């Protein structure tokens, strides 16, 4: 899913008639800010702050070696998919203390892309539980880290207790083609669900 080239991507084209809100979510340190930045055709809005000692006893830094910043509100990016369609990407902060913000952020969203990490798969459950409570469809993208253990897709699907129809893809949030493929899996899933509901 490549964005449509434009001489000036700061502004929306006059031909855009439909905008879709997508939430990029997942647990703390899973790569949401990176994913939004990789996909966005505009300079992404980031609300990252340097991590402090005050948060050291709250934020679990397991598996996040070298992480020095954290999202404190949200990330925001935009991706033009066609002459008429644009996706607005909202990256949610990963700490559980931001759950009320996640609830507000999912309002009006068509779906969510949940990033997961094989080093901490259990940390994905609170995020998926929230999305299921809100009735928001989602796809899961397992983000690659250099020290991540590798598992077969079916093992990950079973560990996350995903429904058979829930898309599960492997991705590298730093790579545009890989991040786009993960987003495309979500968009295709949403299209299929919409078609089934209309049938």
């Amino acid at each position: 899913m490549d964005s449509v080239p434009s001489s000036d991507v700061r502004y929306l084209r006059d031909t855009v008639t439909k905008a879709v809100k997508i939430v990029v979510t997942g647990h703390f340190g899973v790569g949401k800010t990176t994913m939004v930045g990789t996909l966005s055709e505009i300079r992404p809005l980031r609300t990252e702050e340097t991590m402090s000692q005050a948060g050291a006893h709250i934020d679990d830094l397991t598996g996040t070696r070298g992480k020095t910043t954290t999202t404190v509100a949200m990330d925001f990016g935009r991706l033009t998919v066609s002459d008429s369609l644009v996706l607005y990407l909202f990256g949610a902060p990963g700490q559980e203390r931001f759950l009320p913000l996640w609830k507000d952020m999912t309002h009006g969203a068509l779906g969510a892309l949940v990033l997961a990490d094989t080093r901490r798969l259990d940390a994905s459950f609170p995020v998926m539980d929230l999305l299921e409570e809100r009735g928001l469809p989602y796809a899961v993208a397992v983000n690659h880290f250099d020290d991540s253990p590798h598992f077969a897709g079916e093992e990950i699907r079973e560990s996350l207790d995903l429904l058979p129809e829930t898309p599960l893809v492997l991705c590298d949030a730093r790579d545009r083609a890989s991040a786009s493929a993960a987003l495309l899996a979500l968009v295709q899933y949403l299209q299929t669900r919409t078609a089934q509901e209309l049938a």
Side-chain angles (χ1 to χ4, degrees):
M1 173 190 298
D2 290 330
S3 60
V4 176
S6 170
S7 58
D8 188 351
V9 295
R10 291 177 296 170
Y11 304 103
L12 279 180
R13 295 176 183 185
D14 294 338
T15 57
V16 171
T17 58
K18 187 178 291 186
V20 174
K21 179 180 182 181
I22 299 291
V23 176
V24 178
T25 189
H27 57 75
F28 175 69
V30 76
K32 300 174 298 294
T33 297
T34 300
M35 174 73 86
V36 171
T38 298
L39 289 169
S40 184
E41 66 194 15
I42 59 172
R43 183 178 177 193
L45 166 70
R46 292 186 170 142
T47 58
E48 285 198 306
E49 293 293 335
T50 302
M51 295 172 64
S52 66
Q53 287 293 351
H57 67 285
I58 300 172
D59 298 330
D60 181 7
L61 298 177
T62 305
T64 59
R65 187 180 70 231
K67 185 166 178 59
T68 59
T69 61
T70 185
T71 301
V72 295
M74 68 173 192
D75 299 305
F76 174 78
R78 186 186 80 204
L79 179 64
T80 303
V81 178
S82 70
D83 286 339
S84 60
L85 176 64
V86 67
L87 301 181
Y88 289 118
L89 307 172
F90 287 79
Q95 298 93 321
E96 287 191 43
R97 65 181 180 272
F98 290 113
L99 277 174
L101 179 60
W102 289 358
K103 292 177 181 178
D104 290 339
M105 219 179 264
T106 58
H107 183 73
L110 195 60
L113 184 61
V114 177
L115 292 185
D117 177 354
T118 57
R119 299 171 299 181
R120 300 174 289 156
L121 281 178
D122 59 328
S124 298
F125 288 115
V127 177
M128 294 187 305
D129 287 345
L130 175 67
L131 295 173
E132 289 169 5
E133 286 170 17
R134 307 225 11 120
L136 193 65
Y138 61 89
V140 175
V142 178
N143 193 14
H144 171 75
F145 292 89
D146 293 336
D147 59 345
S148 298
H150 295 278
F151 299 101
E154 282 310 309
E155 289 180 274
I156 296 171
R157 180 176 290 283
E158 186 175 332
S159 294
L160 291 175
D161 195 26
L162 298 178
L163 294 173
E165 63 270 19
T166 302
L168 174 68
V169 296
L170 304 178
C171 78
D172 183 337
R174 302 165 296 184
D175 179 78
R176 186 169 176 81
S178 182
S180 295
L183 186 60
L184 180 60
L186 171 64
V187 170
Q188 290 174 333
Y189 175 54
L190 296 174
Q191 288 174 329
T192 300
R193 283 177 55 99
T194 301
Q196 290 171 346
E197 289 169 4
L198 295 174

